[in-house]
Amino acid sequence: MWAYETSFYQIYTLGFCGAPFENDGKLEHRILKVIDWIPHLKKLGVGAVLFNPIFESDTHGYNTRDYHKIDIRLGTNEDFAKVCKALHKEGIRIILDGVFNHAGRGFFGFQDVLEKRWDSPYKDWFNINFDGNSNYNDGLWYEGWEGNYDLVKFNLKNPAVADYLIDSVKSWIEEFDIDGLRLDVAYCLDTEFIKRLRRETDSFKSDFFLTGEMIGGDYNRIMSDELCHSATNYECYKGMFSALNSMNLFEIIHSLLRQFGPENWTLYKGRHLISFVDNHDVSRIASILNRPEHLKLIYTIMFGMPGIPTVYYGSEWGEKADKSQGDPALRPCFEKPQWTELTDTIASLCKAKNESKALNYGGFKSLLLTNRQCIFERECEGDRALVVINADEGSFHANFDARAGKGVDLISGKEIDFGGGLELSPYTAYIISKLQ
């Protein structure tokens, strides 16, 4: 699967393009801005763009009105087709946000129910009680996602709903040639719907990639050979920054051993979870870490551990934003991309991920672990990589069994000699490969 051998770049599309929060009904061709960023994506070395919602919606994209029409604030279907063609020309794949648990109040089917009540052919598309009332005083009650009544929950057990949504996906593949989907709130979706979506998308496009949003719990609920290929690794998202801020690397290494370690009982061995240090729903990592020197380290851990590393737009140059400022602060419009020393590091990490069989498919083995230092090994079919972290402000001498004495750091390109141990400067991050 192509997705296992690259890294993703996530764009919250409405924010990235500077669209107004409320759908003002005015056509603007903002989505074409993505084309201007393609040289940046190429230089960074990512292999796919994950677009958060792009279809016509009431406000933030997750309250969809029309699953067949690009949001008018972003442009037209023809505009997005042009974007997809330009990305594909440069070898960059396209993943869309599939919002299938719920629609917006402006969705045509729900509007029909509000108008025709019992006589609407769409009344069974949702979970409705005509004897109740809603927060919007509709004269009927309906189920909203987690109590949010601007998000009208679909009845996915209704074959007509599943038909409509899967036909929509088929149209996206036919019209835009998309390569995958992220399933929003996948932990809420009906399992049989996910199974059908996997079967159908496999038949539409043989290498089509499905991943799902999982906030917690067992990711195997939505991930298997019959379900999604992948799921969001929120456990290690929290574990990475928490371990660095508390100077307790045991926290993240324990999670990685639990998920991918060499024992037979590990949860996700052989699976490829979505790895991330921030996204459109959480504070940017540069605002969370107590020490800015740890930025390079946390990205090295993310790219070095098993999974599909995902970079959120703007964070590659260290942009800051806190969740307490509200979601719009996390989803800004940047005039143009920036490039910093951190971006250099992430570009090197993308290159390493693209070229290393060990980073793409290797197992996980801990070689050295203290509160402030860790070394772990990834190995696959003779290809090996050592991920080395010194989170301390002081130097550290690492003694560990690595079966070799020299290698090349894939981040800096420098030769590293660790025969007899490894001298680590403060805030060091290596991925050592080409071991001799």
Side-chain angles (χ1 to χ4, degrees):
M1 169 61 71
W2 61 268
Y4 305 156
E5 300 174 0
T6 191
S7 49
F8 294 173
Y9 191 80
Q10 182 190 357
I11 293 174
Y12 178 79
T13 321
L14 290 164
F16 173 87
C17 293
F21 181 74
E22 298 281 346
N23 192 330
D24 56 9
K26 296 178 182 177
L27 175 61
E28 296 285 349
H29 304 278
R30 294 182 174 98
I31 193 72
L32 296 174
K33 173 182 176 179
V34 174
I35 296 175
D36 297 332
W37 279 54
I38 290 177
H40 177 72
L41 302 178
K42 287 285 290 180
K43 186 178 178 184
L44 198 59
V46 296
V49 176
L50 164 57
F51 290 98
N52 291 126
I54 61 169
F55 293 101
E56 186 80 3
S57 74
D58 297 337
T59 54
H60 48 58
Y62 290 99
N63 39 23
T64 314
R65 291 179 180 174
D66 188 336
Y67 284 79
H68 291 269
K69 181 177 178 290
I70 298 297
D71 197 294
I72 197 166
R73 292 168 289 173
L74 297 175
T76 64
N77 285 29
E78 291 74 19
D79 290 335
F80 188 61
K82 189 181 295 185
V83 168
C84 293
K85 186 175 181 180
L87 287 167
H88 278 149
K89 184 179 178 183
E90 296 299 331
I92 299 171
R93 310 254 189 167
I94 295 118
I95 301 168
L96 297 189
D97 210 336
V99 187
F100 301 142
N101 181 71
H102 47 257
R105 285 176 54 83
F107 180 68
F108 73 88
F110 186 69
Q111 285 293 305
D112 195 77
V113 173
L114 292 181
E115 179 188 349
K116 299 175 183 173
R117 307 286 160 153
W118 278 104
D119 294 328
S120 172
Y122 302 106
K123 65 181 183 297
D124 296 325
W125 282 37
F126 315 98
N127 301 313
I128 289 176
N129 181 348
F130 288 100
D131 295 326
N133 201 3
S134 72
N135 289 20
Y136 289 88
N137 198 30
D138 295 311
L140 56 82
W141 176 90
Y142 61 89
E143 185 180 356
W145 174 71
E146 295 188 357
N148 296 286
Y149 291 99
D150 62 325
L151 305 175
V152 187
K153 187 170 174 60
F154 279 123
N155 174 16
L156 290 175
K157 293 186 181 297
N158 183 335
V161 177
D163 288 347
Y164 171 79
L165 294 173
I166 290 173
D167 284 347
S168 298
V169 174
K170 185 178 182 182
S171 74
W172 303 344
I173 295 172
E174 291 172 347
E175 189 169 1
F176 308 121
D177 194 24
I178 66 167
D179 303 288
L181 287 175
R182 168 205 183 262
L183 305 186
D184 181 55
V185 297
Y187 54 90
C188 294
L189 296 178
D190 178 64
T191 303
E192 292 305 313
F193 172 77
I194 300 178
K195 285 182 179 179
R196 182 181 166 192
L197 182 63
R198 173 69 181 268
R199 289 194 305 271
E200 301 263 6
T201 53
D202 280 350
S203 70
F204 298 155
K205 200 171 188 177
S206 60
D207 60 350
F208 197 83
F209 175 71
L210 281 183
T211 187
E213 181 187 20
M214 285 289 290
I215 304 297
D218 184 359
Y219 305 149
N220 288 318
R221 277 181 50 207
I222 66 155
M223 181 178 62
S224 75
D225 292 342
E226 293 183 305
L227 298 165
C228 293
H229 297 86
S230 182
T232 51
N233 195 346
Y234 264 91
E235 178 183 343
C236 286
Y237 152 72
K238 190 262 182 186
M240 282 186 282
F241 75 76
S242 178
L244 288 168
N245 280 347
S246 63
M247 285 295 198
N248 179 20
L249 291 175
F250 283 86
E251 180 175 357
I252 181 58
I253 299 301
H254 173 77
S255 288
L256 290 169
L257 285 170
R258 175 177 169 272
Q259 291 186 346
F260 305 108
E263 291 81 6
N264 291 329
W265 50 261
T266 51
L267 291 173
Y268 312 121
K269 188 184 297 185
R271 295 291 175 188
H272 301 259
L273 299 177
I274 299 292
S275 310
F276 60 98
V277 298
D278 52 16
N279 62 30
H280 65 301
D281 285 327
V282 300
S283 297
R284 288 191 183 262
I285 192 60
S287 294
I288 296 178
L289 289 178
N290 295 336
R291 305 187 187 198
E293 296 90 349
H294 284 167
L295 270 173
K296 176 182 176 180
L297 277 59
I298 199 167
Y299 276 103
T300 302
I301 294 171
M302 179 181 74
F303 274 83
M305 73 189 210
I308 304 169
T310 304
V311 179
Y312 186 49
Y313 79 107
S315 289
E316 71 266 31
W317 62 75
E319 192 70 30
K320 293 184 176 182
D322 195 273
K323 178 77 169 176
S324 63
Q325 300 168 283
D327 284 347
L330 308 175
R331 307 166 178 182
C333 174
F334 301 115
E335 241 181 77
K336 58 183 180 180
Q338 300 177 37
W339 199 275
T340 65
E341 187 177 338
L342 177 62
T343 327
D344 274 329
T345 295
I346 294 173
S348 295
L349 291 167
C350 286
K351 185 174 187 293
K353 181 72 169 63
N354 292 340
E355 297 175 355
S356 170
K357 182 175 286 187
L359 294 182
N360 291 332
Y361 296 105
F364 182 88
K365 182 180 180 182
S366 177
L367 299 183
L368 179 146
L369 180 59
T370 74
N371 280 25
R372 302 185 178 208
Q373 293 83 25
C374 68
I375 299 175
F376 58 85
E377 180 183 65
R378 306 288 311 284
E379 184 171 11
C380 177
E381 297 177 4
D383 186 36
R384 296 170 59 227
L386 304 180
V387 180
V388 179
I389 299 292
N390 178 18
D392 196 25
E393 61 195 11
S395 299
F396 180 78
H397 179 79
N399 283 311
F400 62 101
D401 177 17
R403 313 196 321 264
K406 288 184 180 179
V408 175
D409 173 29
L410 299 181
I411 301 173
S412 66
K414 295 178 180 177
E415 183 177 288
I416 306 292
D417 187 341
F418 50 90
L422 187 56
E423 294 295 333
L424 300 178
S425 302
Y427 306 122
T428 290
Y430 296 143
I431 296 182
I432 304 174
S433 187
K434 299 178 182 176
L435 302 173
Q436 301 171 9

